[in-house]
Amino acid sequence: MSTRVEKQAAETPLSNPDFRERLRELPPSAKLVAKVLEDQAPMSQGELAEDSLLPDRTVRYALNRLAEADLVESRYSFRDARKQVYFLIE
């Protein structure tokens, strides 16, 4: 069972050296949002704010920075088409 857990951990975007290098240049809020997305994606901006304990405005800034670095993408939510959900790009 431990090999299965290790394999899953090895396949996350944050384990990719290129991804980590691009993330290294971003502010701490973007790193926190990326970590939360790694564990629970896809998530809406509100869910990210709630789980990361960051203000909505800071989460929006972090998502914009992650998108500029091509580390995150969004799509419309299947549960609520008025909202977008975010996920890390592998």
Side-chain angles (χ1 to χ4, degrees), residues 1-16 38 90:
M1 182 187 276
S2 64
T3 56
R4 182 177 178 202
V5 171
E6 290 169 3
K7 184 177 180 183
Q8 287 176 341
E11 294 175 358
T12 64
L14 288 177
S15 64
N16 179 333
E38 178 188 37
E90 295 187 32

PDB file of all heavy atoms in Angstrom, residues 1-16 38 90:
ATOM      1  N   MET A   1       0.814  -1.186   0.000  1.00  0.00           N
ATOM      2  CA  MET A   1       0.000   0.000   0.000  1.00  0.00           C
ATOM      3  C   MET A   1       0.865   1.260   0.000  1.00  0.00           C
ATOM      4  O   MET A   1       0.502   2.251  -0.601  1.00  0.00           O
ATOM      5  CB  MET A   1      -0.944   0.008   1.200  1.00  0.00           C
ATOM      6  CG  MET A   1      -1.842   1.243   1.169  1.00  0.00           C
ATOM      7  SD  MET A   1      -2.843   1.481   2.601  1.00  0.00           S
ATOM      8  CE  MET A   1      -4.229   0.470   2.257  1.00  0.00           C
ATOM      9  N   SER A   2       2.000   1.218   0.613  1.00  0.00           N
ATOM     10  CA  SER A   2       2.852   2.411   0.663  1.00  0.00           C
ATOM     11  C   SER A   2       3.361   2.793  -0.724  1.00  0.00           C
ATOM     12  O   SER A   2       3.569   3.959  -1.001  1.00  0.00           O
ATOM     13  CB  SER A   2       4.023   2.207   1.625  1.00  0.00           C
ATOM     14  OG  SER A   2       4.853   1.178   1.151  1.00  0.00           O
ATOM     15  N   THR A   3       3.566   1.814  -1.603  1.00  0.00           N
ATOM     16  CA  THR A   3       4.024   2.158  -2.950  1.00  0.00           C
ATOM     17  C   THR A   3       2.948   2.900  -3.724  1.00  0.00           C
ATOM     18  O   THR A   3       3.248   3.764  -4.520  1.00  0.00           O
ATOM     19  CB  THR A   3       4.437   0.897  -3.738  1.00  0.00           C
ATOM     20  OG1 THR A   3       3.344  -0.007  -3.772  1.00  0.00           O
ATOM     21  CG2 THR A   3       5.651   0.251  -3.112  1.00  0.00           C
ATOM     22  N   ARG A   4       1.685   2.580  -3.452  1.00  0.00           N
ATOM     23  CA  ARG A   4       0.590   3.292  -4.109  1.00  0.00           C
ATOM     24  C   ARG A   4       0.564   4.754  -3.669  1.00  0.00           C
ATOM     25  O   ARG A   4       0.423   5.655  -4.477  1.00  0.00           O
ATOM     26  CB  ARG A   4      -0.735   2.621  -3.786  1.00  0.00           C
ATOM     27  CG  ARG A   4      -1.908   3.263  -4.461  1.00  0.00           C
ATOM     28  CD  ARG A   4      -3.169   2.510  -4.167  1.00  0.00           C
ATOM     29  NE  ARG A   4      -4.286   3.190  -4.800  1.00  0.00           N
ATOM     30  CZ  ARG A   4      -5.521   3.057  -4.425  1.00  0.00           C
ATOM     31  NH1 ARG A   4      -5.815   2.264  -3.417  1.00  0.00           N
ATOM     32  NH2 ARG A   4      -6.476   3.692  -5.045  1.00  0.00           N
ATOM     33  N   VAL A   5       0.729   5.009  -2.384  1.00  0.00           N
ATOM     34  CA  VAL A   5       0.747   6.362  -1.862  1.00  0.00           C
ATOM     35  C   VAL A   5       1.956   7.113  -2.413  1.00  0.00           C
ATOM     36  O   VAL A   5       1.855   8.263  -2.821  1.00  0.00           O
ATOM     37  CB  VAL A   5       0.756   6.361  -0.318  1.00  0.00           C
ATOM     38  CG1 VAL A   5       0.990   7.752   0.232  1.00  0.00           C
ATOM     39  CG2 VAL A   5      -0.534   5.770   0.208  1.00  0.00           C
ATOM     40  N   GLU A   6       3.120   6.455  -2.455  1.00  0.00           N
ATOM     41  CA  GLU A   6       4.319   7.085  -2.989  1.00  0.00           C
ATOM     42  C   GLU A   6       4.151   7.409  -4.464  1.00  0.00           C
ATOM     43  O   GLU A   6       4.581   8.458  -4.922  1.00  0.00           O
ATOM     44  CB  GLU A   6       5.531   6.180  -2.788  1.00  0.00           C
ATOM     45  CG  GLU A   6       5.952   6.049  -1.340  1.00  0.00           C
ATOM     46  CD  GLU A   6       6.969   4.960  -1.128  1.00  0.00           C
ATOM     47  OE1 GLU A   6       7.401   4.324  -2.121  1.00  0.00           O
ATOM     48  OE2 GLU A   6       7.331   4.719   0.025  1.00  0.00           O
ATOM     49  N   LYS A   7       3.507   6.524  -5.214  1.00  0.00           N
ATOM     50  CA  LYS A   7       3.295   6.750  -6.632  1.00  0.00           C
ATOM     51  C   LYS A   7       2.384   7.947  -6.852  1.00  0.00           C
ATOM     52  O   LYS A   7       2.639   8.783  -7.703  1.00  0.00           O
ATOM     53  CB  LYS A   7       2.696   5.501  -7.283  1.00  0.00           C
ATOM     54  CG  LYS A   7       2.525   5.632  -8.775  1.00  0.00           C
ATOM     55  CD  LYS A   7       1.994   4.361  -9.380  1.00  0.00           C
ATOM     56  CE  LYS A   7       1.836   4.517 -10.874  1.00  0.00           C
ATOM     57  NZ  LYS A   7       1.265   3.341 -11.489  1.00  0.00           N
ATOM     58  N   GLN A   8       1.307   8.057  -6.044  1.00  0.00           N
ATOM     59  CA  GLN A   8       0.402   9.192  -6.168  1.00  0.00           C
ATOM     60  C   GLN A   8       1.125  10.484  -5.849  1.00  0.00           C
ATOM     61  O   GLN A   8       0.941  11.484  -6.514  1.00  0.00           O
ATOM     62  CB  GLN A   8      -0.797   9.028  -5.241  1.00  0.00           C
ATOM     63  CG  GLN A   8      -1.770   7.983  -5.720  1.00  0.00           C
ATOM     64  CD  GLN A   8      -2.900   7.767  -4.735  1.00  0.00           C
ATOM     65  OE1 GLN A   8      -2.801   8.123  -3.565  1.00  0.00           O
ATOM     66  NE2 GLN A   8      -3.971   7.161  -5.203  1.00  0.00           N
ATOM     67  N   ALA A   9       1.958  10.483  -4.824  1.00  0.00           N
ATOM     68  CA  ALA A   9       2.696  11.682  -4.444  1.00  0.00           C
ATOM     69  C   ALA A   9       3.669  12.089  -5.538  1.00  0.00           C
ATOM     70  O   ALA A   9       3.903  13.260  -5.771  1.00  0.00           O
ATOM     71  CB  ALA A   9       3.428  11.449  -3.131  1.00  0.00           C
ATOM     72  N   ALA A  10       4.245  11.131  -6.233  1.00  0.00           N
ATOM     73  CA  ALA A  10       5.213  11.423  -7.284  1.00  0.00           C
ATOM     74  C   ALA A  10       4.551  12.008  -8.528  1.00  0.00           C
ATOM     75  O   ALA A  10       5.207  12.650  -9.321  1.00  0.00           O
ATOM     76  CB  ALA A  10       5.974  10.160  -7.645  1.00  0.00           C
ATOM     77  N   GLU A  11       3.259  11.825  -8.684  1.00  0.00           N
ATOM     78  CA  GLU A  11       2.569  12.266  -9.885  1.00  0.00           C
ATOM     79  C   GLU A  11       1.911  13.637  -9.751  1.00  0.00           C
ATOM     80  O   GLU A  11       1.247  14.087 -10.660  1.00  0.00           O
ATOM     81  CB  GLU A  11       1.511  11.231 -10.275  1.00  0.00           C
ATOM     82  CG  GLU A  11       2.112   9.906 -10.688  1.00  0.00           C
ATOM     83  CD  GLU A  11       1.057   8.856 -10.948  1.00  0.00           C
ATOM     84  OE1 GLU A  11      -0.141   9.133 -10.781  1.00  0.00           O
ATOM     85  OE2 GLU A  11       1.439   7.747 -11.310  1.00  0.00           O
ATOM     86  N   THR A  12       2.079  14.320  -8.657  1.00  0.00           N
ATOM     87  CA  THR A  12       1.452  15.618  -8.480  1.00  0.00           C
ATOM     88  C   THR A  12       2.247  16.696  -9.209  1.00  0.00           C
ATOM     89  O   THR A  12       3.454  16.566  -9.392  1.00  0.00           O
ATOM     90  CB  THR A  12       1.350  15.992  -6.987  1.00  0.00           C
ATOM     91  OG1 THR A  12       2.663  16.123  -6.466  1.00  0.00           O
ATOM     92  CG2 THR A  12       0.576  14.952  -6.217  1.00  0.00           C
ATOM     93  N   PRO A  13       1.589  17.772  -9.619  1.00  0.00           N
ATOM     94  CA  PRO A  13       2.306  18.863 -10.297  1.00  0.00           C
ATOM     95  C   PRO A  13       3.438  19.443  -9.448  1.00  0.00           C
ATOM     96  O   PRO A  13       4.478  19.822  -9.976  1.00  0.00           O
ATOM     97  CB  PRO A  13       1.220  19.904 -10.546  1.00  0.00           C
ATOM     98  CG  PRO A  13      -0.046  19.135 -10.577  1.00  0.00           C
ATOM     99  CD  PRO A  13       0.148  18.004  -9.611  1.00  0.00           C
ATOM    100  N   LEU A  14       3.249  19.522  -8.134  1.00  0.00           N
ATOM    101  CA  LEU A  14       4.279  20.099  -7.289  1.00  0.00           C
ATOM    102  C   LEU A  14       5.534  19.240  -7.218  1.00  0.00           C
ATOM    103  O   LEU A  14       6.576  19.702  -6.783  1.00  0.00           O
ATOM    104  CB  LEU A  14       3.739  20.370  -5.878  1.00  0.00           C
ATOM    105  CG  LEU A  14       2.756  21.531  -5.774  1.00  0.00           C
ATOM    106  CD1 LEU A  14       2.229  21.661  -4.356  1.00  0.00           C
ATOM    107  CD2 LEU A  14       3.372  22.822  -6.225  1.00  0.00           C
ATOM    108  N   SER A  15       5.442  18.001  -7.645  1.00  0.00           N
ATOM    109  CA  SER A  15       6.635  17.154  -7.665  1.00  0.00           C
ATOM    110  C   SER A  15       7.439  17.328  -8.962  1.00  0.00           C
ATOM    111  O   SER A  15       8.561  16.863  -9.065  1.00  0.00           O
ATOM    112  CB  SER A  15       6.257  15.684  -7.477  1.00  0.00           C
ATOM    113  OG  SER A  15       5.472  15.245  -8.570  1.00  0.00           O
ATOM    114  N   ASN A  16       6.865  18.037  -9.935  1.00  0.00           N
ATOM    115  CA  ASN A  16       7.534  18.306 -11.205  1.00  0.00           C
ATOM    116  C   ASN A  16       8.564  19.427 -11.006  1.00  0.00           C
ATOM    117  O   ASN A  16       8.205  20.530 -10.581  1.00  0.00           O
ATOM    118  CB  ASN A  16       6.482  18.722 -12.236  1.00  0.00           C
ATOM    119  CG  ASN A  16       7.058  19.052 -13.579  1.00  0.00           C
ATOM    120  OD1 ASN A  16       8.204  19.466 -13.706  1.00  0.00           O
ATOM    121  ND2 ASN A  16       6.251  18.891 -14.602  1.00  0.00           N
ATOM    122  N   GLU A  38      -3.409  21.453  -4.967  1.00  0.00           N
ATOM    123  CA  GLU A  38      -2.801  20.133  -5.157  1.00  0.00           C
ATOM    124  C   GLU A  38      -3.587  19.071  -4.395  1.00  0.00           C
ATOM    125  O   GLU A  38      -3.785  17.972  -4.894  1.00  0.00           O
ATOM    126  CB  GLU A  38      -1.354  20.145  -4.670  1.00  0.00           C
ATOM    127  CG  GLU A  38      -0.686  18.786  -4.804  1.00  0.00           C
ATOM    128  CD  GLU A  38       0.677  18.737  -4.157  1.00  0.00           C
ATOM    129  OE1 GLU A  38       0.879  19.358  -3.102  1.00  0.00           O
ATOM    130  OE2 GLU A  38       1.544  18.046  -4.725  1.00  0.00           O
ATOM    131  N   GLU A  90      -0.632  20.167 -15.128  1.00  0.00           N
ATOM    132  CA  GLU A  90       0.462  19.212 -14.948  1.00  0.00           C
ATOM    133  C   GLU A  90       1.524  19.355 -15.993  1.00  0.00           C
ATOM    134  O   GLU A  90       1.367  19.796 -17.041  1.00  0.00           O
ATOM    135  CB  GLU A  90      -0.089  17.793 -14.940  1.00  0.00           C
ATOM    136  CG  GLU A  90      -0.988  17.587 -13.749  1.00  0.00           C
ATOM    137  CD  GLU A  90      -1.403  16.150 -13.613  1.00  0.00           C
ATOM    138  OE1 GLU A  90      -0.631  15.249 -13.968  1.00  0.00           O
ATOM    139  OE2 GLU A  90      -2.503  15.935 -13.121  1.00  0.00           O
TER     140      GLU A  90
END
